[in-house]
Amino acid sequence: MKKQTILSFLFLLPAVLSMGAGYQLNLQGLRQLAMGGGGVAQPWDAATLFYNPGGLSRLDGIQVNGSILGIIPATQYVNDVNGVTARTQNKVFTPFNLYVGGAIKKAGGLGVGVGVYTPFGSGTYWENGWTGRYAIQNIELQTIFIQPTVSYKITDAVSVGVGVVIGTGNVKLNKAIPVQDANGNDGQASLKGKANGLGYNVGLSFKASDNLHFGVSYRSRVDMHAKDGDATFKVASAVAANFPNTKFDATLPCPEVLSVGAAWKPFEKFTVQLDFNLTGWNAYDTLAFNYSAPVNGSSRTASARLYQNRLATRLGANYQATERLALMIGGAYDPSPVRDGYVSPDLPDANRIVLTGGLTYRPLSKLTLMAAVEYVTSAKRHAMSNETGFGGLYQNKAFTPGIGVAYDF
Amino acid sequence: MNTKQLLIGGLAALAFASCKPQLNTPNYNSGNLDFTRYLAVGNSLTSGYSNNSLYRSGQQNSYPSMLANQFATVGGGAFLQPLLKSEVGFPTAKLVLGLVIDSTTGLASLSPIPDPSPSDNAGDDASIAAQGPFNNIGVPGIRAIDFLIPGYASLNPYAKRFFNDLTASPLAELGRMNPTFFTAWIGKNDGRGYATSGGIGKVNGGFLDQNSISNPMLFAVALDSVVNRLTAGGAKGVLISIPDVTAIPYFTTIPYNGLVLTRQGQVDSLNAAYAGTPIKFQLGANAFVIQDNSVPLIKRRQMVAGEYVCLSVPTANLKRGLGSVQPIPTQYILDANEVNNVRTATANFNDMIAQAALDHDLAYVNMGAFLKTLSSGILYNGVNYNAEFVKGGAFSLDGVHLTPRGYAFAANEIIRNINAYYGAYIPMVDVNAYDGLSFP
């Protein structure tokens, strides 16, 4: 006999995958990070592959430059209506980057290189069974971009560069389904998939004088397509037919970023730089999941995101204390692209204030050790997700130390 | 420890602390209300009745119990309920969802069935009155007018368990605890019996008329007596209105035109059988045929919009000619006239309750209006709740009483009104922290 359920359920199963502004990580070079996260004007090191491909041909020869960071994010939620409070679990996420590249010949015009970096990502793990579990229990997004790049110094003053971006990534999320089994346990939905996308990164570097650099770069939008992701469900057997394990497709845009900036050396040993990043978050308009088999009666769920474009401002300074030691400090204001009514607990975003610092030390003439630290705090944001009706007061903080090494050939 | 160590230690502590957000919970307060002794008065809804029975976890998830938990955060006192030992149900088994196999089609479908677990209520009929006084004296089945009947408790198996004086009227039980704060949600059963039995009783029923609408004069006297007794010691409190029973799944699950015909042959043979009468059928949705003795000769007619089929109707028979070949008997139908009687009485009773609140300077909760909001759907923390049977999440399997989550919504509506009326700031209940229905 075929077991069949006559009831169909219309419990909300929204597409949940918003990562907030937090899904952009500005951690692609330790030196740049230590100066507030900017670096489009002056080609400090091989990480300019990311910050401005136009600067690559200005480096003194080929450099290998790599670093690893540990993001320790913490989010707290307080529901002022019922006093329920929750925190995210302590988790460490480890973005990294590795660049090989520079000018082929010391005084030559051509620069080449390749970079591997993690420009977007996030992770939010709420306490198990928390009050917002039907909106999200936990979510994690990782991206790795690979960028082969060429750069050409047209004149002493002007150089340009272009790189092709090959993006890969993966996403996983878990949430509760409001159907309780005989033991009172919620159903569980789990989505897991790999995603791919393509894009490019172009830049122009302008050296007005030895003491003054300008730069402009444009990193294109990369649509990360997840195909044949796994959607698995664990629900009471009486309703299991409504929640078949199936495949899903989804697309998450990694937005375009236009950067302009200047670096100025007013005194010997001291440089200040200012960057502006305009991020095209309005690309993140809707997030849709298409399922191979209908989940709870629908093969597509779409969720409005309606992010808006945002301009971040980054200010930093570099002080060459000795021939071997340089000290850096910086800060940034990174406003949230998430509108009121669209703030959900998968990453409850808010305007961020960023403070950074770091140092580089050269024990050998070709070897540089780097360390940087970033502290991010968001405004307390009282916000709501219209889609889930879940809201409250949120605050995010994150502490991100990183270490790295660079070697000049 | 020298200054330098202190400084370093202090900075380290500061750095560590500043890596974690530190949000404060709001400053909740009782607004000068005294919750030392909270007394909940009412019927099945107050007792925690759910899934057609009373059982321990239902009592533990009663809305008064939830309120007491919230009151405790602003200085409330202990809260004692007359808990049963039984989890299966007292005196009869609760309903659970089970797979029922249709004898004709052989298909299994999810339906409410009596809990098949062995009965565990032995000894639950013994009096636990000596453990009292209790803070929750909700009695399933009690009408407002029953508060005036001496000896009522000896006739009601629930009251008999924990009432102190079985010969006195239930008013005496109100005096057992001198409350500092109370909620009273009474009156639902003064019209519900009439409604759920399809309007078989009287419209101006007296003390002994079951399945009737209570006489409004008696209702007024009973309400007055209850409120006077509760406020005698200066207690503040809440009076809660009677919901419109026609908004609950018991009446809304089976639509009046729920007779769906899919074959022309069925339509033709029914039309042939009813030839010469106003009763007509077509493909698709058709109004059910019901018993109506006022119709000459055939004593039946088709339902019209605004009339209701009770959930107690033998649903399996609806597929086998009940409501088409045979009329649905009147005790399963609330016809337009009966609906009007129930609505009029409910509005009348609620006017009296609102007036009593005004007269005694008490908060008034329009629960009927709130449950209508629930009918149209409430999006709460990622879950859509509504008044749909089984799927809606708020009503239990009897279609009348609530699930713990449904009761949590009721508790929140009460808290909202307490906060507004008394200027208190009591935290609401986290609805999703409670259980909904369990699926096999």
Side-chain angles (χ1 to χ4, degrees):
Chain A
M1 179 187 21
K2 191 162 172 264
K3 192 157 92 176
Q4 177 181 317
T5 58
I6 55 163
L7 296 164
S8 76
F9 291 83
L10 290 171
F11 297 114
L12 199 73
L13 187 75
V16 174
L17 196 86
S18 95
M19 246 63 58
Y23 89 75
Q24 181 169 207
L25 303 171
N26 294 288
L27 307 167
Q28 277 69 45
L30 285 189
R31 231 188 218 107
Q32 290 83 353
L33 170 66
M35 288 184 278
V40 68
Q42 183 156 333
W44 291 99
D45 53 24
T48 198
L49 261 161
F50 169 82
Y51 289 95
N52 185 348
L56 191 64
S57 53
R58 288 189 177 283
L59 296 182
D60 291 334
I62 301 287
Q63 185 187 65
V64 177
N65 181 314
S67 60
I68 184 160
L69 301 102
I71 308 180
I72 308 162
T75 301
Q76 189 186 2
Y77 165 79
V78 170
N79 184 322
D80 42 8
V81 175
N82 59 28
V84 170
T85 177
R87 286 180 184 278
T88 51
Q89 298 175 28
N90 290 321
K91 291 255 178 193
V92 181
F93 303 90
T94 52
F96 64 91
N97 50 72
L98 179 66
Y99 305 94
V100 182
I104 291 174
K105 282 181 274 180
K106 281 253 168 186
L110 189 66
V112 295
V114 62
V116 181
Y117 53 89
T118 54
F120 296 91
S122 91
T124 305
Y125 285 74
W126 291 97
E127 295 156 354
N128 282 332
W130 82 298
T131 183
R133 64 193 177 279
Y134 300 123
I136 193 74
Q137 180 59 56
N138 55 57
I139 183 162
E140 189 170 343
L141 169 76
Q142 292 172 327
T143 61
I144 298 174
F145 282 13
I146 300 164
Q147 184 193 318
T149 305
V150 292
S151 170
Y152 187 70
K153 192 159 78 174
I154 301 168
T155 69
D156 271 354
V158 179
S159 62
V160 292
V162 58
V164 175
V165 168
I166 302 147
T168 67
N170 58 68
V171 61
K172 57 182 179 188
L173 69 88
N174 290 290
K175 56 181 288 188
I177 301 171
V179 182
Q180 292 174 295
D181 67 15
N183 299 320
N185 296 320
D186 288 320
Q188 297 292 332
S190 176
L191 271 64
K192 208 169 176 180
K194 290 190 189 312
N196 295 294
L198 284 176
Y200 59 90
N201 184 357
V202 295
L204 183 145
S205 177
F206 178 66
K207 184 178 172 185
S209 75
D210 280 347
N211 297 330
L212 189 61
H213 294 74
F214 296 97
V216 52
S217 81
Y218 175 77
R219 297 193 293 277
S220 77
R221 168 175 166 181
V222 179
D223 280 332
M224 297 295 284
H225 301 287
K227 267 194 88 65
D228 291 334
D230 291 314
T232 50
F233 302 95
K234 211 173 84 186
V235 289
S237 61
V239 297
N242 298 58
F243 294 94
N245 290 341
T246 182
K247 299 284 180 187
F248 72 89
D249 289 358
T251 299
L252 181 77
C254 292
E256 61 191 349
V257 181
L258 176 68
S259 303
V260 296
W264 179 44
K265 202 180 200 182
F267 315 109
E268 188 63 29
K269 297 182 175 176
F270 185 73
T271 307
V272 290
Q273 65 172 29
L274 178 65
D275 280 44
F276 296 101
N277 308 135
L278 179 64
T279 305
W281 282 114
N282 66 3
Y284 197 28
D285 166 72
T286 305
L287 182 66
F289 282 77
N290 292 297
Y291 297 99
S292 308
V295 174
N296 202 15
S298 80
S299 21
R300 184 173 192 268
T301 57
S303 138
R305 299 288 148 172
L306 300 181
Y307 276 31
Q308 44 194 347
N309 294 347
R310 278 292 181 247
L311 182 72
T313 309
R314 304 177 185 282
L315 186 64
N318 181 33
Y319 177 61
Q320 194 71 40
T322 70
E323 205 181 317
R324 294 178 184 280
L325 179 71
L327 303 171
M328 284 139 271
I329 191 165
Y333 179 65
D334 194 0
S336 169
V338 189
R339 294 168 205 262
D340 287 340
Y342 296 87
V343 179
S344 65
D346 38 28
L347 201 152
D349 201 49
N351 299 336
R352 291 151 185 245
I353 291 168
V354 180
L355 299 172
T356 64
L359 56 86
T360 60
Y361 183 70
R362 240 163 16 123
L364 307 167
S365 68
K366 295 190 170 206
L367 181 71
T368 309
L369 304 177
M370 304 178 287
V373 61
E374 181 192 46
Y375 174 71
V376 182
T377 180
S378 80
K380 292 174 187 175
R381 185 167 188 186
H382 198 270
M384 181 82 187
S385 155
N386 296 338
E387 184 175 292
T388 56
F390 189 84
L393 187 65
Y394 294 101
Q395 192 179 24
N396 307 305
K397 292 191 178 189
F399 182 68
T400 307
I403 51 167
V405 60
Y407 189 84
D408 295 292
F409 288 96
Chain B
M1 200 187 282
N2 65 31
T3 319
K4 196 175 165 188
Q5 281 174 316
L6 255 180
L7 192 69
I8 291 168
L11 281 175
L14 200 69
F16 184 75
S18 58
C19 289
K20 294 252 177 225
Q22 298 297 336
L23 299 175
N24 295 321
T25 48
N27 280 321
Y28 296 114
N29 66 74
S30 66
N32 295 326
L33 291 170
D34 181 355
F35 295 115
T36 314
R37 291 182 303 281
Y38 160 48
L39 180 65
V41 179
N43 44 50
S44 51
L45 292 167
T46 299
S47 69
Y49 196 95
S50 196
N51 295 318
N52 205 36
S53 191
L54 191 66
Y55 48 96
R56 190 178 182 89
S57 67
Q59 293 177 297
Q60 286 165 329
N61 290 313
S62 67
Y63 78 82
S65 172
M66 296 178 191
L67 289 178
N69 286 340
Q70 303 310 104
F71 295 161
T73 64
V74 291
F79 188 78
L80 185 65
Q81 298 196 96
L83 291 178
L84 293 158
K85 291 192 294 290
S86 173
E87 188 53 36
V88 176
F90 172 85
T92 54
K94 67 174 185 276
L95 294 173
V96 295
L97 278 174
L99 287 168
V100 176
I101 294 158
D102 186 295
S103 54
T104 336
T105 63
L107 290 178
S109 65
L110 206 50
S111 302
I113 55 169
D115 189 339
S117 314
S119 176
D120 58 356
N121 61 20
D124 267 335
D125 52 355
S127 175
I128 55 167
Q131 297 169 24
F134 296 101
N135 296 76
N136 183 349
I137 57 168
V139 174
I142 198 169
R143 300 172 297 182
I145 62 173
D146 289 333
F147 279 88
L148 301 174
I149 303 179
Y152 172 80
S154 61
L155 305 170
N156 180 310
Y158 304 100
K160 199 174 178 179
R161 285 182 58 239
F162 69 91
F163 271 36
N164 199 36
D165 183 346
L166 299 185
T167 59
S169 75
L171 287 174
E173 195 67 18
L174 302 185
R176 208 175 162 202
M177 175 176 287
N178 178 25
T180 58
F181 190 84
F182 66 87
T183 57
W185 193 2
I186 59 173
K188 177 202 71 166
N189 292 331
D190 296 74
R192 199 209 93 167
Y194 178 85
T196 53
S197 64
I200 56 172
K202 298 180 184 170
V203 175
N204 273 305
F207 292 121
L208 301 178
D209 295 315
Q210 294 302 310
N211 299 330
S212 298
I213 294 174
S214 297
N215 181 312
M217 300 296 285
L218 290 178
F219 186 93
V221 172
L223 177 67
D224 211 34
S225 309
V226 168
V227 177
N228 280 333
R229 183 65 66 97
L230 287 170
T231 53
K236 298 289 181 195
V238 176
L239 300 183
I240 301 161
S241 81
I242 307 165
D244 177 355
V245 292
T246 55
I248 63 179
Y250 189 85
F251 291 106
T252 57
T253 302
I254 304 167
Y256 80 96
N257 60 350
L259 175 66
V260 179
L261 299 178
T262 51
R263 289 186 292 111
Q264 190 60 43
Q266 288 177 304
V267 174
D268 293 342
S269 63
L270 280 169
N271 279 334
Y274 284 100
T277 73
I279 297 174
K280 296 276 178 288
F281 299 91
Q282 60 197 28
L283 281 175
N286 289 273
F288 284 114
V289 177
I290 59 169
Q291 177 192 353
D292 185 342
N293 293 335
S294 70
V295 178
L297 298 172
I298 55 170
K299 309 241 179 259
R300 61 183 76 177
R301 63 175 174 86
Q302 280 178 295
M303 295 182 78
V304 295
E307 297 184 318
Y308 298 93
V309 184
C310 299
L311 200 53
S312 54
V313 73
T315 38
N317 294 351
L318 291 179
K319 293 173 193 151
R320 303 193 183 96
L322 185 67
S324 50
V325 181
Q326 302 104 35
I328 301 175
T330 182
Q331 70 265 31
Y332 299 120
I333 300 297
L334 206 58
D335 68 29
N337 189 36
E338 291 160 352
V339 169
N340 187 43
N341 289 339
V342 175
R343 289 228 170 101
T344 306
T346 302
N348 188 20
F349 294 157
N350 282 339
D351 283 349
M352 293 186 215
I353 294 169
Q355 188 60 44
L358 211 57
D359 292 345
H360 290 89
D361 193 12
L362 301 170
Y364 173 71
V365 178
N366 189 342
M367 197 60 88
F370 175 73
L371 289 177
K372 283 216 173 72
T373 312
L374 182 64
S375 300
S376 53
I378 293 176
L379 178 60
Y380 181 92
N381 289 0
V383 188
N384 267 322
Y385 292 96
N386 59 50
E388 230 184 314
F389 189 53
V390 180
K391 293 183 232 178
F395 280 91
S396 74
L397 297 174
D398 57 33
V400 175
H401 301 94
L402 303 173
T403 61
R405 289 187 178 183
Y407 282 123
F409 277 114
N412 280 345
E413 183 60 10
I414 294 167
I415 292 171
R416 192 178 69 78
N417 280 278
I418 293 173
N419 287 345
Y421 190 81
Y422 291 109
Y425 191 14
I426 299 160
M428 301 265 182
V429 171
D430 181 5
V431 174
N432 290 347
Y434 292 91
D435 285 336
L437 289 178
S438 286
F439 291 83

